[in-house]
Amino acid sequence: MSLLIFLVLILSIGASSASNATNNKRFPENFLWGCGTSAYQIEGGWNADGKGPSIWDNITHENPNFIKDGKNADVSADSYHKYEVDIAMLKELGVNFYRFSISWPRVLPTGFPDNVNQPGVLYYKNLIAELRSNGIEPVVTMYHNDLPQTLQDRDGIKNPDFVDWFAQYSRFCFQTFGDDVHYWLTINEPYVACTIGFYSVVYVDGIDDYVCMKNFLLAHATAWHIYHEELKMKGKVGIVLNSNWFEPETNSTEDLEASERTMQFIWGWLGHPLYKGDYPEIMKIRVANRSKLEGYNQSRIQELTSEEIAFAKGTNDFFAANTYTTSMVKRIPEAPIGTPSHNKDLGVESYQPSNWQSTGLDWLKVVPWGMRKLLKWIKNEYSNPPILITENGYADSTGELEDTSRMNYIRDYLSYIRDAMEYDGVNVIGYSYWSLMDNFEWVSGYTAKFGVINVNFTDPERTRTRKLSSYYYEKVIRNRCLVDDCQD
Ligand SMILES: *[C@@H]1O[C@H](CO)[C@@H](O)[C@H](O)[C@H]1NC(C)=O
Ligand SMILES: *[C@@H]1O[C@H](CO)[C@@H](O)[C@H](O)[C@H]1NC(C)=O
Ligand SMILES: *[C@@H]1O[C@H](CO)[C@@H](O)[C@H](O)[C@H]1NC(C)=O
Ligand SMILES: *[C@@H]1O[C@H](CO)[C@@H](O)[C@H](O)[C@H]1NC(C)=O
Ligand SMILES: *[C@@H]1O[C@H](CO)[C@@H](O)[C@H](O)[C@H]1NC(C)=O
Ligand SMILES: *[C@@H]1O[C@H](CO)[C@@H](O)[C@H](O)[C@H]1NC(C)=O
């Protein structure tokens, strides 16, 4: 290493650590603080009181190898029986809201509202009433991965009828719970669901994923129109988009373009139709081009009609974002034409340097500075929408109580969020830490723990114990500030 490069390194390390001090400004008074969970991950009671099976009940029972530790969420944290304990903990934390999801097959076991499971409805009515009586706003996700198995037996999301199935389900939710719920989230992480989640083993890469995303988009837009136009209800409806920030490896035109292209392919896949109308141009061009060379007579992307474009545009009342980490991206040579694939359509390489701080999950590196860049990108791309961060969190494999790494993660990510608000004028309206408590982390089973509260999964009582990070988060919420010495 030359002396000059050495000096530049020393200087830049000095400069970046100095500029990364924790933001000490108070968050606005109306900033919303919360914690999140989802039905399948915490509830248990998988067949209690008339609940129907979901695709996750089915796959964990029939194919345990799909899950890292071979386990399922038949009981999990048993929140179906312990929701009052959960709410008491939320009260202690002092959160303004709780983001949870309704299990579709718990309320509609066959998927359709001609067969309502009243005990399931009562469970959510009680949960919502208990939250309200404790001054905690419910933020309700309608679809968080647990599709009724009956609908999967009809091809699930890729069936064009899914749009109508979801319309019926969402109308049922709005009518049944809508008087007491003012924030609705239609679908959680459609990108993950269609490309790397459950459906990655069921759907064909480069084909069904485009159909899946289109149906989620139209299902969301239909729910939004039902809520505002048919039912004329007064709350807000959004869809939860997710991914990483994608940092260009260098400042070369190629890598900058690769970064922007990745953002458009992932965030823009539905963000563009929702805010600007239609899929991103770069995505349409690339998928159409490769489809043609592969011998398809039309683009695999399933172009939206002008009616569909108009129908979906403007149907997101706030930008709900789940984000945990950052990846580096660089341009790579065009993949040879062959079997279709979404990643070949995207055509970049992304990776996470091995010296980034790791966690209990391979894909989750601690990269707080990516948060500010992501928020700024969303602001500039979609004309400064109100942003609710619906998920952000740290996983370890132990569930340890002295979780200083999680505490630092919360502090550093929130610091960059506060920076984005202060220096970039990003309109962040709230933050929901994922997760309130340790739970079943999908294919990782119980090997990854995100909670600020520990759950003892070997204890029949599923005893909950607060971790260190929960005390820090409580203090942050109380002071609206990340440090002891705050500035207004
Ligand atoms: C500080 O932030 C910069 C970018 O904002 C980032 O490149 C650097 O890695 C950060 N340093 C630390 C120690 O987090
Ligand atoms: C799920 O259930 C259906 C019947 O409803 C069955 O045909 C299928 O094989 C099951 N397993 C998986 C992994 O989907
Ligand atoms: C790219 O340019 C930006 C702004 O000039 C600079 O902050 C950043 O360090 C550069 N990145 C690389 C990898 O050189
Ligand atoms: C279409 O793809 C081919 C090879 O994959 C590439 O050479 C060409 O530039 C592409 N055209 C456009 C318009 O992107
Ligand atoms: C395009 O191909 C599909 C099958 O891949 C076929 O059903 C359809 O008729 C074709 N359309 C035209 C216009 O050739
Ligand atoms: C979890 O619960 C089991 C059964 O009650 C108990 O034996 C064990 O000590 C508990 N673990 C911890 C860490 O408290």
Side-chain angles (χ1 to χ4, degrees), residues 347-393:
V348 304
E349 182 182 322
S350 64
Y351 63 95
Q352 293 179 309
S354 55
N355 65 345
W356 283 0
Q357 186 193 336
S358 58
T359 69
L361 284 168
D362 289 343
W363 56 265
L364 207 179
K365 303 275 189 201
V366 180
V367 199
W369 53 263
M371 177 61 102
R372 180 172 167 194
K373 295 191 178 200
L374 171 68
L375 292 172
K376 194 173 170 187
W377 186 90
I378 293 171
K379 177 198 170 186
N380 292 337
E381 189 65 18
Y382 303 122
S383 307
N384 201 15
I387 300 172
L388 181 64
I389 295 165
T390 34
E391 285 182 28
N392 176 246

CSV table of all heavy atoms in Angstrom, one decimal, residues 347-393:
chain,number,residue,atom,x,y,z
A,347,GLY,N,-30.1,-8.3,-14.0
A,347,GLY,CA,-28.7,-8.2,-14.7
A,347,GLY,C,-27.7,-7.4,-13.9
A,347,GLY,O,-26.9,-6.7,-14.6
A,348,VAL,N,-27.6,-7.5,-12.6
A,348,VAL,CA,-26.5,-6.9,-11.8
A,348,VAL,C,-26.0,-8.0,-10.8
A,348,VAL,O,-26.7,-9.0,-10.6
A,348,VAL,CB,-27.0,-5.7,-11.0
A,348,VAL,CG1,-27.6,-4.7,-11.9
A,348,VAL,CG2,-27.9,-6.1,-9.9
A,349,GLU,N,-24.8,-7.7,-10.2
A,349,GLU,CA,-24.4,-8.6,-9.2
A,349,GLU,C,-24.5,-7.8,-7.9
A,349,GLU,O,-24.1,-6.6,-7.8
A,349,GLU,CB,-22.9,-9.0,-9.4
A,349,GLU,CG,-22.4,-9.9,-8.3
A,349,GLU,CD,-21.0,-10.3,-8.5
A,349,GLU,OE1,-20.6,-10.5,-9.7
A,349,GLU,OE2,-20.3,-10.4,-7.5
A,350,SER,N,-25.1,-8.4,-6.9
A,350,SER,CA,-25.2,-7.7,-5.6
A,350,SER,C,-24.5,-8.6,-4.5
A,350,SER,O,-24.6,-9.8,-4.6
A,350,SER,CB,-26.6,-7.3,-5.2
A,350,SER,OG,-27.4,-8.4,-5.0
A,351,TYR,N,-24.0,-8.0,-3.5
A,351,TYR,CA,-23.3,-8.8,-2.5
A,351,TYR,C,-23.1,-7.9,-1.2
A,351,TYR,O,-23.3,-6.7,-1.3
A,351,TYR,CB,-21.9,-9.2,-3.0
A,351,TYR,CG,-21.0,-8.0,-3.3
A,351,TYR,CD1,-20.0,-7.6,-2.4
A,351,TYR,CD2,-21.0,-7.4,-4.5
A,351,TYR,CE1,-19.2,-6.5,-2.6
A,351,TYR,CE2,-20.2,-6.3,-4.8
A,351,TYR,CZ,-19.3,-5.9,-3.9
A,351,TYR,OH,-18.5,-4.8,-4.1
A,352,GLN,N,-22.7,-8.5,-0.1
A,352,GLN,CA,-22.4,-7.8,1.1
A,352,GLN,C,-21.0,-8.1,1.5
A,352,GLN,O,-20.6,-9.3,1.7
A,352,GLN,CB,-23.4,-8.2,2.2
A,352,GLN,CG,-24.8,-7.7,1.9
A,352,GLN,CD,-25.8,-8.1,3.0
A,352,GLN,OE1,-25.8,-9.3,3.3
A,352,GLN,NE2,-26.6,-7.2,3.4
A,353,PRO,N,-20.1,-7.1,1.6
A,353,PRO,CA,-18.7,-7.3,2.0
A,353,PRO,C,-18.6,-8.1,3.3
A,353,PRO,O,-19.4,-7.8,4.2
A,353,PRO,CB,-18.1,-5.9,2.1
A,353,PRO,CG,-19.0,-5.0,1.3
A,353,PRO,CD,-20.4,-5.6,1.4
A,354,SER,N,-17.6,-9.0,3.4
A,354,SER,CA,-17.5,-9.8,4.5
A,354,SER,C,-17.1,-9.0,5.8
A,354,SER,O,-17.3,-9.5,6.9
A,354,SER,CB,-16.5,-11.0,4.3
A,354,SER,OG,-15.3,-10.4,3.9
A,355,ASN,N,-16.6,-7.8,5.6
A,355,ASN,CA,-16.2,-7.1,6.8
A,355,ASN,C,-17.4,-6.2,7.4
A,355,ASN,O,-17.2,-5.5,8.4
A,355,ASN,CB,-15.0,-6.2,6.5
A,355,ASN,CG,-15.3,-5.1,5.5
A,355,ASN,OD1,-16.3,-5.2,4.8
A,355,ASN,ND2,-14.4,-4.1,5.4
A,356,TRP,N,-18.5,-6.3,6.8
A,356,TRP,CA,-19.7,-5.7,7.4
A,356,TRP,C,-20.2,-6.5,8.6
A,356,TRP,O,-20.1,-7.7,8.6
A,356,TRP,CB,-20.8,-5.5,6.4
A,356,TRP,CG,-20.6,-4.4,5.4
A,356,TRP,CD1,-19.6,-3.5,5.3
A,356,TRP,CD2,-21.5,-4.0,4.3
A,356,TRP,NE1,-19.7,-2.7,4.3
A,356,TRP,CE2,-20.9,-3.0,3.6
A,356,TRP,CE3,-22.8,-4.5,3.9
A,356,TRP,CZ2,-21.5,-2.3,2.5
A,356,TRP,CZ3,-23.4,-3.9,2.8
A,356,TRP,CH2,-22.8,-2.8,2.1
A,357,GLN,N,-20.6,-5.8,9.6
A,357,GLN,CA,-21.0,-6.5,10.9
A,357,GLN,C,-22.1,-7.5,10.6
A,357,GLN,O,-23.2,-7.2,10.1
A,357,GLN,CB,-21.5,-5.4,11.9
A,357,GLN,CG,-21.8,-6.1,13.3
A,357,GLN,CD,-22.5,-5.1,14.2
A,357,GLN,OE1,-22.4,-3.9,14.0
A,357,GLN,NE2,-23.2,-5.6,15.2
A,358,SER,N,-21.9,-8.7,11.0
A,358,SER,CA,-22.9,-9.8,10.8
A,358,SER,C,-23.9,-9.9,11.9
A,358,SER,O,-23.7,-9.4,13.0
A,358,SER,CB,-22.2,-11.1,10.4
A,358,SER,OG,-21.4,-11.4,11.5
A,359,THR,N,-24.9,-10.7,11.7
A,359,THR,CA,-26.0,-10.9,12.7
A,359,THR,C,-26.3,-12.4,12.7
A,359,THR,O,-25.6,-13.2,12.1
A,359,THR,CB,-27.3,-10.1,12.4
A,359,THR,OG1,-27.9,-10.7,11.2
A,359,THR,CG2,-27.0,-8.6,12.1
A,360,GLY,N,-27.4,-12.8,13.3
A,360,GLY,CA,-27.8,-14.2,13.3
A,360,GLY,C,-28.4,-14.6,12.0
A,360,GLY,O,-28.8,-15.8,11.9
A,361,LEU,N,-28.5,-13.8,11.0
A,361,LEU,CA,-29.0,-14.1,9.7
A,361,LEU,C,-28.0,-13.7,8.6
A,361,LEU,O,-27.5,-12.6,8.6
A,361,LEU,CB,-30.4,-13.5,9.4
A,361,LEU,CG,-31.6,-14.0,10.1
A,361,LEU,CD1,-32.8,-13.1,10.0
A,361,LEU,CD2,-32.0,-15.4,9.6
A,362,ASP,N,-27.8,-14.6,7.6
A,362,ASP,CA,-26.8,-14.3,6.6
A,362,ASP,C,-27.0,-13.0,5.8
A,362,ASP,O,-26.1,-12.3,5.5
A,362,ASP,CB,-26.8,-15.5,5.5
A,362,ASP,CG,-26.2,-16.7,6.1
A,362,ASP,OD1,-25.6,-16.7,7.2
A,362,ASP,OD2,-26.5,-17.8,5.5
A,363,TRP,N,-28.3,-12.8,5.5
A,363,TRP,CA,-28.6,-11.6,4.6
A,363,TRP,C,-28.6,-10.3,5.4
A,363,TRP,O,-28.7,-9.3,4.8
A,363,TRP,CB,-30.0,-11.9,3.9
A,363,TRP,CG,-31.1,-12.1,4.9
A,363,TRP,CD1,-31.6,-13.3,5.3
A,363,TRP,CD2,-31.9,-11.1,5.5
A,363,TRP,NE1,-32.7,-13.1,6.1
A,363,TRP,CE2,-32.9,-11.8,6.3
A,363,TRP,CE3,-31.9,-9.7,5.5
A,363,TRP,CZ2,-33.8,-11.1,7.1
A,363,TRP,CZ3,-32.9,-9.0,6.3
A,363,TRP,CH2,-33.8,-9.8,7.1
A,364,LEU,N,-28.6,-10.4,6.7
A,364,LEU,CA,-28.8,-9.2,7.5
A,364,LEU,C,-27.4,-8.7,8.1
A,364,LEU,O,-27.0,-9.1,9.2
A,364,LEU,CB,-29.8,-9.5,8.6
A,364,LEU,CG,-30.6,-8.3,9.2
A,364,LEU,CD1,-31.6,-8.8,10.3
A,364,LEU,CD2,-29.8,-7.1,9.7
A,365,LYS,N,-26.8,-7.8,7.4
A,365,LYS,CA,-25.6,-7.1,7.9
A,365,LYS,C,-26.0,-5.8,8.5
A,365,LYS,O,-27.0,-5.1,8.0
A,365,LYS,CB,-24.6,-6.9,6.8
A,365,LYS,CG,-24.2,-8.1,6.0
A,365,LYS,CD,-23.1,-8.9,6.8
A,365,LYS,CE,-22.6,-10.0,5.9
A,365,LYS,NZ,-21.9,-11.0,6.6
A,366,VAL,N,-25.3,-5.3,9.5
A,366,VAL,CA,-25.6,-4.0,10.1
A,366,VAL,C,-25.0,-2.9,9.3
A,366,VAL,O,-23.8,-2.7,9.3
A,366,VAL,CB,-25.1,-4.0,11.6
A,366,VAL,CG1,-25.5,-2.7,12.2
A,366,VAL,CG2,-25.7,-5.2,12.3
A,367,VAL,N,-25.8,-2.1,8.6
A,367,VAL,CA,-25.3,-1.1,7.7
A,367,VAL,C,-26.2,0.2,7.9
A,367,VAL,O,-26.9,0.6,7.0
A,367,VAL,CB,-25.3,-1.5,6.2
A,367,VAL,CG1,-24.4,-0.6,5.4
A,367,VAL,CG2,-24.9,-3.0,6.1
A,368,PRO,N,-26.1,0.8,9.0
A,368,PRO,CA,-27.1,1.9,9.3
A,368,PRO,C,-27.0,3.1,8.3
A,368,PRO,O,-28.1,3.6,8.0
A,368,PRO,CB,-26.7,2.4,10.7
A,368,PRO,CG,-25.5,1.6,11.2
A,368,PRO,CD,-25.2,0.5,10.2
A,369,TRP,N,-25.9,3.4,7.7
A,369,TRP,CA,-25.8,4.5,6.8
A,369,TRP,C,-26.7,4.3,5.5
A,369,TRP,O,-27.1,5.2,4.9
A,369,TRP,CB,-24.4,4.9,6.4
A,369,TRP,CG,-23.6,3.7,5.9
A,369,TRP,CD1,-22.7,3.0,6.6
A,369,TRP,CD2,-23.5,3.2,4.5
A,369,TRP,NE1,-22.1,2.0,5.7
A,369,TRP,CE2,-22.6,2.2,4.5
A,369,TRP,CE3,-24.2,3.6,3.3
A,369,TRP,CZ2,-22.3,1.4,3.3
A,369,TRP,CZ3,-23.9,2.9,2.2
A,369,TRP,CH2,-23.0,1.8,2.2
A,370,GLY,N,-27.0,3.0,5.2
A,370,GLY,CA,-27.8,2.7,4.0
A,370,GLY,C,-29.2,3.3,4.2
A,370,GLY,O,-29.9,3.6,3.3
A,371,MET,N,-29.7,3.3,5.5
A,371,MET,CA,-31.0,3.8,5.8
A,371,MET,C,-31.3,5.2,5.3
A,371,MET,O,-32.3,5.5,4.6
A,371,MET,CB,-31.3,3.7,7.3
A,371,MET,CG,-32.6,4.2,7.8
A,371,MET,SD,-34.0,3.3,7.0
A,371,MET,CE,-34.5,2.2,8.4
A,372,ARG,N,-30.3,6.1,5.5
A,372,ARG,CA,-30.5,7.5,5.1
A,372,ARG,C,-30.6,7.6,3.6
A,372,ARG,O,-31.4,8.3,3.0
A,372,ARG,CB,-29.4,8.3,5.6
A,372,ARG,CG,-29.5,9.8,5.2
A,372,ARG,CD,-28.5,10.7,5.9
A,372,ARG,NE,-28.5,12.0,5.3
A,372,ARG,CZ,-27.6,12.9,5.5
A,372,ARG,NH1,-26.6,12.7,6.3
A,372,ARG,NH2,-27.7,14.1,4.8
A,373,LYS,N,-29.7,6.8,2.9
A,373,LYS,CA,-29.7,6.8,1.4
A,373,LYS,C,-31.0,6.3,0.8
A,373,LYS,O,-31.5,6.8,-0.1
A,373,LYS,CB,-28.5,6.0,0.9
A,373,LYS,CG,-27.2,6.7,1.3
A,373,LYS,CD,-26.0,6.0,0.6
A,373,LYS,CE,-24.7,6.7,1.0
A,373,LYS,NZ,-23.6,6.5,0.0
A,374,LEU,N,-31.5,5.2,1.5
A,374,LEU,CA,-32.7,4.7,1.0
A,374,LEU,C,-33.9,5.7,1.1
A,374,LEU,O,-34.7,5.9,0.2
A,374,LEU,CB,-33.1,3.4,1.8
A,374,LEU,CG,-34.5,2.8,1.6
A,374,LEU,CD1,-34.6,2.3,0.1
A,374,LEU,CD2,-34.8,1.7,2.6
A,375,LEU,N,-34.0,6.3,2.3
A,375,LEU,CA,-35.1,7.2,2.6
A,375,LEU,C,-35.0,8.4,1.6
A,375,LEU,O,-36.0,8.9,1.1
A,375,LEU,CB,-35.0,7.7,4.0
A,375,LEU,CG,-35.3,6.7,5.1
A,375,LEU,CD1,-35.1,7.2,6.5
A,375,LEU,CD2,-36.8,6.2,5.0
A,376,LYS,N,-33.8,8.9,1.3
A,376,LYS,CA,-33.6,10.0,0.4
A,376,LYS,C,-34.1,9.6,-1.0
A,376,LYS,O,-34.7,10.4,-1.7
A,376,LYS,CB,-32.1,10.4,0.4
A,376,LYS,CG,-31.9,11.8,-0.2
A,376,LYS,CD,-30.5,12.2,0.0
A,376,LYS,CE,-30.1,13.4,-0.8
A,376,LYS,NZ,-28.7,13.7,-0.8
A,377,TRP,N,-33.7,8.4,-1.4
A,377,TRP,CA,-34.1,7.9,-2.7
A,377,TRP,C,-35.6,7.9,-2.8
A,377,TRP,O,-36.2,8.3,-3.8
A,377,TRP,CB,-33.5,6.5,-2.9
A,377,TRP,CG,-33.7,6.0,-4.3
A,377,TRP,CD1,-33.0,6.2,-5.4
A,377,TRP,CD2,-34.9,5.2,-4.8
A,377,TRP,NE1,-33.5,5.6,-6.5
A,377,TRP,CE2,-34.7,5.0,-6.2
A,377,TRP,CE3,-36.0,4.7,-4.2
A,377,TRP,CZ2,-35.6,4.2,-6.9
A,377,TRP,CZ3,-36.9,4.0,-4.9
A,377,TRP,CH2,-36.7,3.7,-6.3
A,378,ILE,N,-36.3,7.3,-1.8
A,378,ILE,CA,-37.8,7.2,-1.8
A,378,ILE,C,-38.4,8.6,-1.9
A,378,ILE,O,-39.3,8.9,-2.7
A,378,ILE,CB,-38.3,6.5,-0.6
A,378,ILE,CG1,-37.9,5.0,-0.6
A,378,ILE,CG2,-39.8,6.6,-0.5
A,378,ILE,CD1,-38.2,4.2,0.7
A,379,LYS,N,-37.8,9.6,-1.1
A,379,LYS,CA,-38.3,10.9,-1.2
A,379,LYS,C,-38.2,11.5,-2.6
A,379,LYS,O,-39.2,12.1,-3.1
A,379,LYS,CB,-37.5,11.8,-0.2
A,379,LYS,CG,-38.0,13.2,-0.2
A,379,LYS,CD,-37.0,14.2,0.3
A,379,LYS,CE,-37.4,15.6,0.0
A,379,LYS,NZ,-36.5,16.7,0.4
A,380,ASN,N,-37.1,11.4,-3.2
A,380,ASN,CA,-36.8,12.0,-4.5
A,380,ASN,C,-37.6,11.3,-5.6
A,380,ASN,O,-38.2,12.0,-6.5
A,380,ASN,CB,-35.4,12.0,-4.8
A,380,ASN,CG,-34.6,12.9,-3.9
A,380,ASN,OD1,-35.1,13.9,-3.3
A,380,ASN,ND2,-33.3,12.7,-3.8
A,381,GLU,N,-37.7,10.0,-5.5
A,381,GLU,CA,-38.4,9.2,-6.5
A,381,GLU,C,-39.9,9.4,-6.5
A,381,GLU,O,-40.5,9.5,-7.6
A,381,GLU,CB,-38.0,7.7,-6.3
A,381,GLU,CG,-38.5,6.8,-7.4
A,381,GLU,CD,-37.7,7.1,-8.8
A,381,GLU,OE1,-36.7,7.7,-8.8
A,381,GLU,OE2,-38.3,6.6,-9.8
A,382,TYR,N,-40.5,9.5,-5.4
A,382,TYR,CA,-42.0,9.5,-5.3
A,382,TYR,C,-42.5,10.8,-4.7
A,382,TYR,O,-43.6,10.8,-4.0
A,382,TYR,CB,-42.4,8.3,-4.5
A,382,TYR,CG,-41.9,7.0,-5.1
A,382,TYR,CD1,-41.1,6.1,-4.3
A,382,TYR,CD2,-42.2,6.6,-6.4
A,382,TYR,CE1,-40.7,4.9,-4.9
A,382,TYR,CE2,-41.7,5.5,-6.9
A,382,TYR,CZ,-41.0,4.6,-6.2
A,382,TYR,OH,-40.5,3.4,-6.7
A,383,SER,N,-41.8,11.9,-4.9
A,383,SER,CA,-42.3,13.3,-4.5
A,383,SER,C,-42.7,13.4,-3.1
A,383,SER,O,-43.8,13.8,-2.7
A,383,SER,CB,-43.6,13.6,-5.4
A,383,SER,OG,-43.3,13.5,-6.7
A,384,ASN,N,-41.7,13.0,-2.3
A,384,ASN,CA,-41.8,13.2,-0.8
A,384,ASN,C,-43.1,12.7,-0.1
A,384,ASN,O,-43.8,13.4,0.5
A,384,ASN,CB,-41.7,14.7,-0.6
A,384,ASN,CG,-41.3,15.0,0.8
A,384,ASN,OD1,-40.8,14.2,1.6
A,384,ASN,ND2,-41.5,16.3,1.3
A,385,PRO,N,-43.3,11.4,-0.3
A,385,PRO,CA,-44.5,10.8,0.4
A,385,PRO,C,-44.3,10.7,1.9
A,385,PRO,O,-43.1,10.6,2.4
A,385,PRO,CB,-44.6,9.4,-0.2
A,385,PRO,CG,-43.2,9.0,-0.5
A,385,PRO,CD,-42.5,10.3,-0.9
A,386,PRO,N,-45.3,10.7,2.7
A,386,PRO,CA,-45.2,10.3,4.1
A,386,PRO,C,-44.7,8.8,4.2
A,386,PRO,O,-45.3,8.0,3.6
A,386,PRO,CB,-46.5,10.4,4.8
A,386,PRO,CG,-47.5,10.6,3.6
A,386,PRO,CD,-46.7,10.9,2.4
A,387,ILE,N,-43.6,8.6,5.0
A,387,ILE,CA,-43.0,7.3,5.1
A,387,ILE,C,-43.2,6.7,6.5
A,387,ILE,O,-42.9,7.3,7.4
A,387,ILE,CB,-41.5,7.3,4.7
A,387,ILE,CG1,-41.3,7.8,3.3
A,387,ILE,CG2,-40.9,5.9,4.9
A,387,ILE,CD1,-39.8,8.0,3.0
A,388,LEU,N,-43.8,5.5,6.5
A,388,LEU,CA,-43.9,4.8,7.8
A,388,LEU,C,-43.0,3.6,7.7
A,388,LEU,O,-43.1,2.7,6.8
A,388,LEU,CB,-45.3,4.3,8.1
A,388,LEU,CG,-45.6,3.5,9.4
A,388,LEU,CD1,-45.3,4.4,10.6
A,388,LEU,CD2,-47.0,3.0,9.4
A,389,ILE,N,-41.9,3.6,8.5
A,389,ILE,CA,-41.0,2.4,8.5
A,389,ILE,C,-41.7,1.3,9.3
A,389,ILE,O,-41.8,1.4,10.5
A,389,ILE,CB,-39.6,2.8,9.1
A,389,ILE,CG1,-39.0,3.8,8.1
A,389,ILE,CG2,-38.8,1.5,9.2
A,389,ILE,CD1,-37.9,4.5,8.7
A,390,THR,N,-42.2,0.3,8.6
A,390,THR,CA,-43.0,-0.7,9.2
A,390,THR,C,-42.2,-1.9,9.7
A,390,THR,O,-42.7,-2.7,10.5
A,390,THR,CB,-44.1,-1.2,8.2
A,390,THR,OG1,-43.6,-1.2,6.9
A,390,THR,CG2,-45.3,-0.3,8.2
A,391,GLU,N,-41.0,-2.0,9.3
A,391,GLU,CA,-40.1,-3.1,9.8
A,391,GLU,C,-38.6,-2.6,9.7
A,391,GLU,O,-38.2,-2.1,8.7
A,391,GLU,CB,-40.2,-4.4,9.1
A,391,GLU,CG,-41.4,-5.2,9.4
A,391,GLU,CD,-41.5,-6.6,8.7
A,391,GLU,OE1,-40.4,-7.1,8.5
A,391,GLU,OE2,-42.6,-7.0,8.5
A,392,ASN,N,-37.9,-2.9,10.8
A,392,ASN,CA,-36.4,-2.7,10.8
A,392,ASN,C,-36.0,-3.4,12.1
A,392,ASN,O,-36.6,-3.2,13.1
A,392,ASN,CB,-36.2,-1.2,10.9
A,392,ASN,CG,-34.7,-0.8,11.0
A,392,ASN,OD1,-34.2,-0.3,12.0
A,392,ASN,ND2,-33.9,-1.2,10.0
A,393,GLY,N,-35.0,-4.2,12.0
A,393,GLY,CA,-34.6,-4.9,13.3
A,393,GLY,C,-33.4,-5.7,13.1
A,393,GLY,O,-32.8,-5.9,12.0
